[in-house]
Amino acid sequence: MSTYLFPPAPQAAVAVRGSDALYAVSRIFCVGRNYAAHAREMGSDPDREPPFYFTKPASALAPSGGTIPYAPGTKNLHYEMELVVAIGKPVFKATPEQAADAVWGYAAGLDMTRRDLQNEAKAIGRPWDLGKGFEHSAVITELVPRSEQGELSKGAITLSVNGVEKQRGDLSDMIWSIPELVANLSQFYHLEPGDLIYTGTPEGVGPVKPGDKIVGVIEGFGELTITIGDAE
């Protein structure tokens, strides 16, 4: 009988509103530049170029409501407020209609970004891993089942830092809708329950410092809060 050299890592999971059950997370996919205004502020053309993705490890998850340390190795830590989609059934090479039926639920999330490291990687054509895939970089609220929430295609998405609004957009501003994103991603991966998709952020991304309190809201859906702690 085989044994592990070291104990396996704890299973990453997200709480579910109104339930003691947890949603076990295996993969985190993130969509780049899915709001036109944000694409422009990052220096890109938003004319419905095909979606592109990066990933974060499941170990990057951090629950809303607590404190996360200021990330190591950066002097320019940014917030990006996002709607998160949780997959609830296997889906591969799906149509948008099939993809919509594979969505199990939603959460509010933050894609925390070491912007200086990301920009350095962009400048020399390297992957974004150091800028995006670090501990505590995928902040998330509890999940709300689609069966309770219904389809999410519109509604204000906002973020404030220390009570000052920094981001404001609407889910209807997405270049690619949720069914389109899931369908597109399913052309490249066998999506399964346990897969989360961070669906992009509106314009207004910016830096935070230790002691800052972030509050993100998706209209009629949920509120995310997180405090930035000292650097480790």
Side-chain angles (χ1 to χ4, degrees):
M1 180 177 176
S2 298
T3 59
Y4 293 105
L5 282 173
F6 304 99
Q11 172 63 59
V14 180
V16 176
R17 183 180 296 178
S19 174
D20 291 332
L22 299 175
Y23 180 92
V25 176
S26 56
R27 296 182 291 188
I28 302 173
F29 298 96
C30 304
V31 183
R33 306 188 198 117
N34 196 31
Y35 289 76
H38 174 60
R40 292 188 190 99
E41 78 175 344
M42 301 305 290
S44 298
D45 182 352
D47 281 343
R48 257 178 98 83
E49 62 181 354
F52 74 94
Y53 309 93
F54 56 92
T55 62
K56 294 175 183 273
S59 59
L61 286 169
S64 170
T67 298
I68 59 173
Y70 192 92
T74 183
K75 295 181 180 179
N76 197 19
L77 181 65
H78 277 211
Y79 53 78
E80 296 189 11
M81 181 65 186
E82 314 207 0
L83 173 69
V84 183
V85 170
I87 298 299
K89 63 174 62 174
V91 59
F92 180 59
K93 294 187 176 179
T95 65
E97 293 74 23
Q98 293 167 332
D101 189 53
V103 173
W104 184 86
Y106 309 98
L110 281 178
D111 165 18
M112 299 301 293
T113 301
R114 293 191 278 211
R115 189 72 70 200
D116 45 359
L117 301 189
Q118 183 196 28
N119 288 341
E120 289 170 10
K122 284 181 181 180
I124 54 178
R126 289 181 177 173
W128 295 3
D129 297 60
L130 280 178
K132 290 287 192 178
F134 52 94
E135 291 95 339
H136 314 293
S137 65
V139 182
I140 193 167
T141 64
E142 60 189 3
L143 283 165
V144 178
R146 180 170 63 100
S147 59
E148 297 178 13
Q149 180 64 39
E151 306 295 338
L152 276 179
S153 59
K154 61 181 179 180
I157 175 171
T158 62
L159 178 141
S160 64
V161 179
N162 301 327
V164 178
E165 186 174 285
K166 300 292 187 178
Q167 288 188 277
R168 175 170 289 274
D170 196 280
L171 299 179
S172 63
D173 296 334
M174 287 185 184
I175 298 170
W176 297 92
S177 70
I178 293 169
E180 288 174 331
L181 285 173
V182 176
N184 180 266
L185 190 59
S186 79
Q187 308 306 307
F188 304 97
Y189 295 91
H190 289 80
L191 299 179
E192 302 278 350
D195 290 334
L196 296 177
I197 304 172
Y198 280 60
T199 60
T201 192
E203 66 179 321
V205 300
V208 290
K209 61 184 184 302
D212 284 348
K213 183 175 182 180
I214 299 172
V215 177
V217 178
I218 299 178
E219 181 182 1
F221 167 56
E223 179 177 286
L224 176 152
T225 64
I226 205 77
T227 300
I228 306 299
D230 292 333
E232 295 179 315

